[in-house]
Amino acid sequence: MPTEQALLQRFQRGDIDAATFGHRDHVRTAWAMLGPQNMTFHQAYAAYRSGLVRLTRAAGVPEKFSETQTLGWLALVHEAVARTGEASDFVAFEAAAGLHRHSLADRYPAARLNGAAARTGLILP
């Protein structure tokens, strides 16, 4: 597993294979920005959004980018970092955070979370 710094550098350069960049990688990237890198939420959102837009475009699926899911997941990770205080070890953060693959989907009806409005702007549950 690459260091958080190496992961973020690859993510920000667009040097990530979208086919192997799974849910856990998304969460770890968000955590690395908000935890070890100590970015503000706004800095992390700009960097996370930019990286995910680049990733979906490079994969040829720009329509998969979702503003709501990007902002929502970053907010869940931000809240979990604040609640757990775990900003130095991802495995410990992951165990303490209580986040799972459906943590965001549990808060939204599927049609709203996956709709066009959610992809192009923030919608609330």
Side-chain angles (χ1 to χ4, degrees):
M1 183 170 356
T3 66
E4 278 70 37
Q5 185 65 32
L7 172 66
L8 289 180
Q9 287 173 349
R10 289 181 53 228
F11 181 74
Q12 291 170 338
R13 282 193 318 258
D15 188 23
I16 299 279
D17 179 6
T20 62
F21 192 73
H23 170 73
R24 188 170 190 248
D25 299 308
H26 282 77
V27 172
R28 183 171 173 227
T29 301
W31 169 81
M33 291 175 176
L34 295 163
Q37 293 301 305
N38 199 30
M39 289 181 181
T40 66
F41 184 82
H42 297 294
Q43 290 169 325
Y45 181 66
Y48 195 56
R49 182 188 189 284
S50 176
L52 291 174
V53 166
R54 189 178 304 107
L55 186 68
T56 57
R57 285 183 181 158
V61 288
E63 68 279 1
K64 285 194 172 187
F65 176 78
S66 169
E67 290 286 357
T68 298
Q69 290 189 39
T70 299
L71 187 55
W73 271 107
L74 199 67
L76 289 174
V77 171
H78 172 74
E79 179 182 16
V81 169
R83 182 174 35 78
T84 66
E86 186 51 67
S88 61
D89 181 275
F90 179 68
V91 174
F93 167 77
E94 194 174 33
L99 299 175
H100 56 82
R101 174 178 285 303
H102 301 288
S103 290
L104 188 62
D106 289 348
R107 291 160 169 80
Y108 281 85
R112 285 184 57 77
L113 187 58
N114 298 313
R119 285 192 298 280
T120 59
L122 173 65
I123 61 164
L124 300 175

